[in-house]
Amino acid sequence: MPKSASFEVEYIQYLDEKAKPANDLPDFADDKDTMVGLYRSMQFVRTFDARAVAMQRTGKMRTYPSSLGQEAVGAAAGSCLTARDVLCPYYRGTATMLAHGIKPHEILLYWGGDERGSDYKDPMAREDFPIAVPIATQMLHAAGVATAIKIRKQTGRAVLTEIGEGGTSEGEFYEAINAAGAWDLGVVFLINNNQWAISVPSEAQTACETYAQKGIAAGIPSIQVDGNDPIAVKDVTGKALERARNGKGATLIEAVTYRLSDHTTADDATRYHDPKKHQQAQKKEPVARLGKYLMMRDWVKEKDLEALAADCKTEVEREVKIYLDYVENKPQPPGAMFDYLYANLPEKTLPQREEAIRRGTR
Amino acid sequence: MAAITLIEAVTLALGHEMAADKDVVLLGEDIGKNGGVFRATDGLQARFGEDRVMDTPLAEAMIAGISVGMAAQGIKAIPEMQFMGFMFPAFNQIVTAAARMRNRTRGRISLPMVVRMPYGGGIHAPEHHSESTEALLAHIPGLRVVIPSNPSRAYGLLLAAIRDPDPVIFLEPKRVYRIVKHDVEDNGEAYPLDTCFVDRDGTDITLLSWGAMMHETLIAADQLAKDGISCEVIDVATVCPLDMATIIESVEKTGRCVIVQEAPRAGGIGSEIAAELSEKALLSLIAPIGRVAGYDTVMPYAGMEKQYMPSVERITDEVKKAMQFS
């Protein structure tokens, strides 16, 4: 029987679970500063998440989604972005957002219930989208930004967007990858397959053997990587973004990782987690894996990693202070809920604004 | 200056703004070579190229979501929903992204986009092609909802919608796409987006309507004039935000008000206007506010849509009821 078409999905891994490197490492993996920097980004997210969760437990933070166990995906992918690229993050995209200049205290403000958290001040992040909470909507925004880039014939700019594996069941995910294929858009779709969509396990979400293969139906290059191997994620994402910047179209990447935390602070994963699976996943986690690699290369010692962790803690505390200063001393005035609704607030709404201001913050 | 139809006025306004501003980009299903199923974009792709009049894959959420992404980059995206009945896949993007992006980024990202949709019944179309769900959109803070009732207004309001820095839903009453012609000068003059139009001055009663029902409302006003009833007729046009100042001023003068809408009666724009009037003009009213509306039913198929649509007779009956109060 003749075949109309056939496909395969590549799996990329450079550092195995025991941090044993492959023979053909990409060049950047031999660069101490790059690799130690990557480790620091991952350690920072871990520290930051732990602090945010702790603040939630003491009433200083609202619902917060931790990235515990999947720090490598965002940190490595985000490290490939330039100031000209645009990021359309999903709600567990903390690591990627931080890598693109979004400030830790901005992320805390957002999850703390303050809209100012999405008014990113860093020039690198000024065009980045705010976190998308409705699942998969950000896929289309990314395709739209890439459409604008294409229409304006801009080169050297790409768009990165992230989604969980559960989000790939949404129609808008398919509509976005389809359009990106049909129109050759310079966008990279990164699926963060952390095995859980709240309580629904990855294997119950689809009959596909991989999430990467969903991109094949959209006609775009699609690849699977070990999401706990930052070298693999950085290599694959970097190449995909470079293709996008050069007008060569979209790529879909599935990064396979594991969510070691609850879905959010409002969730209790012990209700559905299989403890054995959880323990196995723990052994593959990315921060320790990269730490082993750095030590194996003789770039750092155990105590250097400890110093680096302490340094992250200091920086997190500094950002927490900025956040708490907003919360305690600089609340938004009630008129703010009207002030950004339209460029020109309809006259009909003015009395409501006046009432909100008159009633004040009581 | 030529006499043109409402749909031709839409094309004229789009062409005017595309020539004036290279950031104006149209996208939608069949809008390219085909010029749209109603021909709203007729000739525009030939004039401005495939990058500015983009035929899209058949996916409404995609059309809206990609427009959001384009608009965030400063492109004035004008997506077309082929029919309002097919906007629901796009509704998620309109509500969760388009309407609130400026607010949720504290002004960092604004979305200059206009979602065009033909709407309303009366053309004997298949199922899902005839609804009037403007109230669903007008309920969403962050959107503007604009409905022209004639060619001049289609031109002036569409220009205003394109130039507005925020998302505007532009609903085109397809039943009257081709029934009236106006002399429309292609002078680039936009109308305000928050001001209604007083089409007839009158003293006995205020008639409020918008979109295609303006035509029945004006016919009813003419018939009632023969019976000695003087109707003030207002085309509400910008159903969000409502120009309540003009409406209240009129009702304070006439003391009576009948609202005419094609959409179902419950929870409609008419309900909002009536509530506003009861709060702000109650003591000027000498008769209860009347509403002539579509029934609270699923829009019937073509075979029975005539019985659903508010008729001139239903309007004159409601006005005569109000005139019994003095």
Side-chain angles (χ1 to χ4, degrees):
Chain A
M1 211 64 127
K3 275 188 192 167
S4 297
S6 61
F7 310 97
E8 55 186 23
V9 175
E10 228 184 326
Y11 176 76
I12 308 289
Q13 185 193 54
Y14 289 109
L15 276 190
D16 75 8
E17 290 161 25
K18 299 202 164 85
K20 183 173 170 285
N23 293 326
D24 54 344
L25 286 180
D27 289 348
F28 68 81
D30 291 327
D31 183 64
K32 179 188 165 186
D33 289 348
T34 302
M35 296 313 296
V36 175
L38 208 45
Y39 180 89
R40 190 191 187 281
S41 304
M42 288 161 56
Q43 179 60 43
F44 185 86
V45 177
R46 185 160 291 187
T47 313
F48 177 81
D49 277 345
R51 187 68 171 94
V53 171
M55 280 199 285
Q56 192 276 337
R57 302 303 187 217
T58 54
K60 288 183 172 149
M61 174 54 57
R62 325 264 176 188
T63 304
Y64 182 83
S66 166
S67 309
L68 187 66
Q70 56 186 85
E71 296 90 346
V73 181
S79 75
C80 305
L81 291 169
T82 72
R84 301 192 63 218
D85 296 332
V86 177
L87 174 66
C88 296
Y90 83 141
Y91 63 88
R92 210 185 301 281
T94 307
T96 329
M97 293 166 72
L98 291 171
H100 205 228
I102 294 166
K103 301 287 176 239
H105 71 263
E106 291 172 336
I107 297 173
L108 293 174
L109 269 174
Y110 176 81
W111 292 109
D114 190 319
E115 287 86 348
R116 289 174 296 186
S118 296
D119 181 12
Y120 308 143
K121 297 297 188 195
D122 193 291
M124 184 144 90
R126 282 302 282 175
E127 293 180 36
D128 287 355
F129 267 64
I131 288 169
V133 177
I135 307 301
T137 52
Q138 73 278 13
M139 301 277 108
L140 285 167
H141 304 156
V145 172
T147 305
I149 290 170
K150 189 185 168 198
I151 289 174
R152 288 176 165 158
K153 301 184 169 49
Q154 296 169 338
T155 51
R157 297 188 76 198
V159 192
L160 175 68
T161 185
E162 258 184 293
I163 191 167
E165 87 285 355
T168 69
S169 298
E170 290 275 4
E172 292 185 37
F173 167 79
Y174 290 103
E175 293 194 20
I177 61 173
N178 180 63
W183 288 352
D184 251 338
L185 300 176
V187 54
V188 176
F189 300 103
L190 177 58
I191 301 171
N192 203 317
N193 179 1
N194 69 10
Q195 312 302 324
W196 296 98
I198 304 189
S199 67
V200 177
S202 171
E203 61 273 16
Q205 198 73 236
T206 179
C208 293
E209 300 98 315
T210 70
Y211 282 86
Q213 74 202 60
K214 293 190 176 196
I216 291 170
I220 60 180
S222 303
I223 193 161
Q224 192 183 50
V225 304
D226 179 349
N228 287 357
D229 169 2
I231 298 175
V233 175
K234 187 174 168 66
D235 182 52
V236 167
T237 313
K239 285 174 182 159
L241 283 167
E242 209 41 42
R243 283 187 73 238
R245 291 185 196 111
N246 292 328
K248 292 190 177 140
T251 306
L252 181 87
I253 301 166
E254 175 194 357
V256 182
T257 179
Y258 196 93
R259 193 191 83 209
L260 289 169
S261 66
D262 294 332
H263 160 64
T264 65
T265 50
D267 177 44
D268 173 10
T270 61
R271 290 172 65 88
Y272 52 81
H273 258 187
D274 173 354
K276 255 192 225 146
K277 213 169 138 183
H278 195 88
Q279 272 171 5
Q280 281 165 1
Q282 191 84 45
K283 289 180 199 151
K284 302 180 188 175
E285 70 92 3
V287 177
R289 193 188 301 189
L290 184 57
K292 274 187 210 159
Y293 173 74
L294 299 182
M295 289 191 281
M296 191 204 75
R297 296 292 301 249
D298 273 337
W299 288 334
V300 294
K301 303 251 179 294
E302 189 82 49
K303 66 170 177 19
D304 297 319
L305 295 183
E306 281 163 19
L308 200 142
D311 183 48
C312 289
K313 220 168 180 175
T314 310
E315 194 189 330
V316 166
E317 287 315 311
R318 205 161 46 227
E319 292 285 329
V320 165
K321 228 173 125 186
I322 300 173
Y323 159 67
L324 290 176
D325 184 43
Y326 272 103
V327 173
E328 286 155 16
N329 305 318
K330 294 185 272 188
Q332 296 190 87
M337 66 180 117
F338 297 91
D339 291 343
Y340 306 95
L341 203 51
Y342 299 90
N344 307 298
L345 186 67
E347 210 167 310
K348 190 172 168 284
T349 318
L350 289 175
Q352 297 176 25
R353 182 176 182 277
E354 279 153 24
E355 182 186 347
I357 292 169
R358 182 167 49 78
R359 292 188 183 276
T361 48
R362 278 173 298 149
Chain B
M1 187 164 31
I4 57 170
T5 61
L6 196 155
I7 185 107
E8 287 165 341
V10 168
T11 317
L12 192 67
L14 292 173
H16 181 98
E17 221 45 15
M18 292 185 80
D21 184 347
K22 65 173 176 19
D23 278 333
V24 177
V25 175
L26 316 186
L27 64 161
E29 296 156 6
D30 308 296
I31 69 162
K33 237 181 217 159
N34 195 35
V37 292
F38 288 101
R39 309 289 176 255
T41 53
D42 195 22
L44 295 178
Q45 191 182 63
R47 209 171 138 198
F48 296 105
E50 289 179 7
D51 275 354
R52 296 189 60 199
V53 182
M54 303 166 64
D55 272 323
T56 65
L58 207 169
E60 287 81 8
M62 182 233 110
I63 294 168
I66 282 199
S67 296
V68 166
M70 290 165 74
Q73 287 287 306
I75 299 272
K76 290 172 184 165
I78 311 186
E80 176 181 292
M81 296 288 130
Q82 203 157 66
F83 289 86
M84 188 191 224
F86 304 141
M87 77 164 170
F88 294 98
F91 204 57
N92 186 30
Q93 285 288 345
I94 291 171
V95 175
T96 67
R100 53 198 290 159
M101 193 61 73
R102 176 188 290 282
N103 184 67
R104 64 196 300 263
T105 59
R106 283 304 181 247
R108 182 172 61 87
I109 299 178
S110 60
L111 300 176
M113 56 189 276
V114 181
V115 186
R116 294 182 40 249
M117 320 182 197
Y119 91 109
I123 64 161
H124 319 301
E127 192 179 10
H128 301 295
H129 288 65
S130 301
E131 284 75 7
S132 298
T133 46
E134 67 270 23
L136 296 180
L137 295 154
H139 187 66
I140 308 301
L143 297 180
R144 291 175 190 275
V145 184
V146 179
I147 307 179
S149 65
N150 65 38
S152 320
R153 282 168 205 170
Y155 180 81
L157 289 170
L158 183 50
L159 286 183
I162 300 170
R163 291 171 195 172
D164 192 83
D166 294 314
V168 179
I169 311 291
F170 194 80
L171 302 179
E172 298 167 9
K174 60 182 178 284
R175 177 163 62 93
V176 297
Y177 258 155
R178 294 185 170 87
I179 69 163
V180 216
K181 286 192 173 190
H182 273 191
D183 287 332
V184 179
E185 196 186 334
D186 189 12
N187 57 9
E189 275 178 31
Y191 289 146
L193 282 179
D194 54 1
T195 308
C196 50
F197 300 88
V198 181
D199 276 321
R200 295 263 204 291
D201 288 324
T203 52
D204 293 328
I205 188 163
T206 302
L207 302 187
L208 302 173
S209 192
W210 53 92
M213 289 315 300
M214 271 305 291
H215 293 261
E216 281 69 22
T217 305
L218 286 166
I219 293 167
D222 289 343
Q223 287 186 8
L224 290 160
K226 289 178 197 150
D227 297 333
I229 300 170
S230 165
C231 299
E232 180 138 304
V233 183
I234 294 177
D235 176 2
V236 174
T238 61
V239 301
C240 177
L242 285 167
D243 173 12
M244 281 314 296
T246 305
I247 294 170
I248 289 168
E249 194 188 331
S250 173
V251 172
E252 282 174 347
K253 180 176 75 176
T254 61
R256 299 180 187 89
C257 180
V258 165
I259 304 160
V260 183
Q261 73 179 27
E262 191 176 311
R265 183 182 174 91
I269 303 291
S271 315
E272 174 63 13
I273 295 173
E276 285 277 337
L277 286 173
S278 76
E279 284 173 2
K280 299 188 177 112
L282 185 68
L283 301 179
S284 302
L285 287 168
I286 50 182
I289 297 166
R291 279 181 294 161
V292 180
Y295 299 116
D296 290 333
T297 64
V298 169
M299 182 75 196
Y301 299 175
M304 213 168 33
E305 73 176 337
K306 195 163 169 242
Q307 286 75 49
Y308 170 93
M309 307 279 285
S311 60
V312 173
E313 190 185 324
R314 282 179 64 195
I315 300 169
T316 55
D317 283 355
E318 193 68 24
V319 170
K320 285 173 187 166
K321 229 162 75 186
M323 289 308 296
Q324 288 166 7
F325 294 83
S326 58

